[in-house]
Amino acid sequence: MLSQIFPKQRFFLLRTFSSLCSKPQPTSLDPDQNPYNLLKSDPIELLSNLWVHAFSRPTPRLVPFPNLTGYLKSFDLWVLAYQRACAHHTGTFPPRTAIHYSQLQSLLALRHAVLSSPSTFPWGASSYLLLRSPAEKPSTTRIGKRKFEQLLENAPPPFQDRVIQELLLLILEPVLETHFSSKSHAYRPGRGPHTVIRTIRSNFAGYLWFVKADLTNVSMHLEPNNIIGYLEKAVSDRSVVRLVKSSLRTPVRPGSIEKERVELDGFAKKRLKRKILRASRKKKVLNENEPKPDPYWLRLFWGFAPEEAKTVPVFGHCGILSPLLLNVCLSELDFWMEDKVEKYFEPSKFDSIWREKIDEGCHNPAWPEFVPASGGACKTRKMDYIRYGSHILIGIRGPREDAVQFRKNLIEFCETKFGLRLEHSKIEIEHITRGIEFLDHIISRRVIYPTLRYTGTGGKVVSEKGVGTLLSVTASLQNCITHFRKLELVKGDRDPEPLPCTPMLYSGQAHTNSQMNKFLETMADWYRYADNRKKVVGFCAYVIRSSLAKLYAARYRLKSRAKVYKIGSRDLSRPLREASRNAAPEYSDLLRMGLVDVIEGVQFAHMSAIPSCDYTPLPRSWVPYHELVLSEYVKLQDPQFFCQLYKDVRRGDLGSPQDFVAGVLWDYKVHGVYSRKLQEEDGGVRLLDK
């Protein structure tokens, strides 16, 4: 029976939560004890227990989470944080049994320094290292005082800081996830740019004015006292709050901060390009524990990051914890906006959507982008809001004066709550007909005249010519060209000309095609929910294919792209070789002997091979899959729910959906009314059976 209520995929996750009844045991803070004696529990089980406990709280926004010290003291979680930090520094996740005894002792000393009262751990102290990275080799040569000070000034953040940041992230993330608003989509598990685009497509149809605000200047200059104040509203544990406070207030060395990329002029860019080309010709040998650099296709894709996702805030020594703290602070804005959205709603019965209540759902769940024409000037006043990081988008169905007034209210709110004034130039007000750019997608609308078919009285199919507006979410082709130009794969704006892909000059044809195929697959997935997905992915495939053709023409001395396409075919899947090596063995013979790799053709050479836009509507009450599983597991732990479920099974009220629909149809056919509903209204008296 339960398999009909919950999908089979959820049973594995629900089973993993079944043994989550243990809490981290209090451990001693003696740094000289044997660390192996402190490894008592499974860290995944402890974290799963924390997730379940956080999602089982009835009012997480009103009452802060009380106690996290037990999780902070758990040495099992410290070892897991160390493993995650090693994966970041070395590129490999070390097994728990492969960690040396000396590293565990150093980790235990670091734990003692952090948890001692008062804390003796200094953030960012490169000269006071309790724990070293496995990739860091100890220095055995003497250096002078001046050189030592210079090394300290330009030293990167210590490895031990990363371990503590990982630990705080593991502990705070499940607690703060229940505190965040569903309108926030950045730096959160299960949410991202795709969920923003799908939410806009499903819920933002019908809005006329859009307010787009950039709060980057506000988020980058938040005071530590404000951050700690908002964190204490969600977490009341003193040990955790004190540790975060010390990371925010400790001064940061200027040399440890990554410098922003400066735009170079033409001559400096050419010199830098020659320097990089000379360095790429030399084969670099990685150290023993040095992580491999990102592959070329991934570096290309990072170059397509939209403006809203480029800037990641960094608060003091918080590091990877900074995005989580940003969401904590901007949650105040989310709650304020949710209250504004509810108060602004004014329904109108003369409008075609949102006639009665704000939570009535979508007018057409199967086609949420289409809004029928209302036929009158009196429209429902409604507003919706979404946030991605420091960028917010607000849709307003109402006059422009309301959007202007809201801009003033937003500036006043930032001044009151954060003590920072938001500039007018950072808040744009645009009408839907002009198009609004968000996450490299353009939101606009167009008038369409669809033929609406429905079943009328007597079972007759009625066809009517309707009129309405269709919300369109398209990928910005101009931004795509700009990204390609910054990556030096095209030149020009209006008529872009592909350039040869010089970073892959010394790679084989099989490896080059494989790298570009991964890039094109990722781009096709990035533009998955764009109306013009075929067009923009086809343009990316044209640029990549032409760039590779120019590269192969230079490498194999074929002089032109036409000769490359003639020999290698349209998708460049046939082997190319230099004209001076005609006596070389055939490619098929070398492939049969295993001396060469299989050459994959460049994908999307034909428009028919490009997938279409994914128009799957996002439910209005959508939540990520892991939150759905957690809420169902919490419900299953409630004895009252199981008691009610047992009664339903005993009464026979629990059945398959097919049986339920068949019963409804039979009632309407025989009695002309749904008998079970009548029974419930009459207190269980079977009037229809009399």
Side-chain angles (χ1 to χ4, degrees), residues 504 507-517 552 555-556 572-576 587 591 596-601:
M504 303 297 291
S507 299
Q509 185 180 355
H511 178 68
T512 304
N513 286 10
S514 175
Q515 290 281 302
M516 293 306 166
N517 278 337
Y552 293 153
R555 183 194 297 171
Y556 299 109
L572 305 175
S573 60
R574 295 176 185 171
L576 299 165
Y587 171 76
L591 183 62
V596 293
D597 296 328
V598 179
I599 299 176
E600 301 176 2

Side-chain angles (χ1 to χ4, degrees), residues 550-565:
K550 287 189 173 184
L551 174 69
Y552 293 153
R555 183 194 297 171
Y556 299 109
R557 305 174 188 176
L558 297 176
K559 296 183 179 179
S560 66
R561 281 186 287 175
K563 289 187 178 181
V564 173
Y565 289 134

Side-chain angles (χ1 to χ4, degrees), residues 628-677:
L628 183 63
V629 172
L630 284 167
S631 60
E632 289 179 355
Y633 178 77
V634 171
K635 188 187 298 183
L636 288 175
Q637 299 302 304
D638 186 7
Q640 187 176 1
F641 173 79
F642 261 108
C643 182
Q644 184 64 34
L645 191 64
Y646 180 72
K647 290 180 181 179
D648 292 342
V649 173
R650 289 290 300 271
R651 287 201 308 259
D653 293 344
L654 193 63
S656 65
Q658 291 84 356
D659 295 339
F660 179 75
V661 173
V664 171
L665 292 176
W666 180 258
D667 288 342
Y668 274 104
K669 184 177 181 179
V670 176
H671 305 292
V673 68
Y674 181 30
S675 62
R676 186 174 302 180
K677 183 177 180 181

Side-chain angles (χ1 to χ4, degrees), residues 581-596:
R581 296 181 58 190
N582 291 331
E586 289 293 333
Y587 171 76
S588 57
D589 298 334
L590 296 175
L591 183 62
R592 187 169 56 252
M593 291 185 289
L595 300 177
V596 293

Side-chain angles (χ1 to χ4, degrees), residues 8-72:
K8 293 182 179 180
Q9 297 92 332
R10 300 182 190 171
F11 274 113
F12 175 75
L13 289 175
L14 291 175
R15 226 181 289 124
T16 59
F17 294 136
S18 60
S19 61
L20 305 179
C21 57
S22 61
K23 293 186 178 180
Q25 300 296 326
T27 55
S28 174
L29 295 181
D30 185 9
D32 298 327
Q33 61 183 326
N34 189 355
Y36 289 112
N37 296 334
L38 300 177
L39 300 177
K40 302 177 181 179
S41 307
D42 181 14
I44 305 302
E45 183 179 343
L46 292 177
L47 290 176
S48 302
N49 186 22
L50 180 58
W51 278 92
V52 171
H53 181 40
F55 274 80
S56 61
R57 300 173 65 226
T59 55
R61 290 187 182 179
L62 300 179
V63 181
F65 201 92
N67 187 14
L68 288 172
T69 307
Y71 295 95
L72 192 63

Side-chain angles (χ1 to χ4, degrees), residues 349-404:
K349 294 185 178 180
F350 300 99
D351 207 343
S352 59
I353 53 177
W354 303 310
R355 296 179 179 180
E356 296 180 0
K357 51 184 180 180
I358 191 171
D359 58 347
E360 66 180 5
C362 188
H363 54 284
N364 188 352
W367 197 12
E369 305 96 331
F370 176 71
V371 178
S374 59
C378 185
K379 296 183 183 297
T380 296
R381 292 198 176 189
K382 191 176 183 299
M383 181 169 59
D384 208 343
Y385 158 82
I386 199 168
R387 179 174 66 84
Y388 186 84
S390 302
H391 297 259
I392 66 174
L393 184 68
I394 304 159
I396 299 176
R397 188 174 179 85
R400 189 181 186 276
E401 290 76 13
D402 293 349
V404 174

Side-chain angles (χ1 to χ4, degrees), residues 88 153-157 162 220 252-262 310 312 314 316 319:
H88 173 74
E153 184 179 354
N154 299 324
R162 176 78 183 201
M220 298 297 282
V252 181
R253 295 189 312 273
S256 62
I257 304 175
E258 294 185 5
K259 298 181 180 179
E260 298 181 0
R261 296 184 62 181
V262 182
K310 280 185 178 179
V312 180
V314 178

Side-chain angles (χ1 to χ4, degrees), residues 470-528:
L470 186 70
L471 184 72
S472 176
V473 182
T474 59
S476 175
L477 190 60
Q478 189 60 42
N479 284 0
C480 184
I481 295 173
T482 303
H483 294 318
F484 271 122
R485 192 171 64 249
K486 289 182 179 179
L487 295 169
E488 298 183 352
L489 288 177
V490 299
K491 63 177 181 180
D493 286 331
R494 295 187 177 180
D495 190 14
E497 175 67 21
L499 297 174
C501 183
T502 52
M504 303 297 291
L505 181 62
Y506 297 98
S507 299
Q509 185 180 355
H511 178 68
T512 304
N513 286 10
S514 175
Q515 290 281 302
M516 293 306 166
N517 278 337
K518 291 177 182 178
F519 169 72
L520 289 176
E521 289 173 2
T522 312
M523 293 301 296
D525 184 68
W526 166 236
Y527 293 119
R528 180 177 180 178

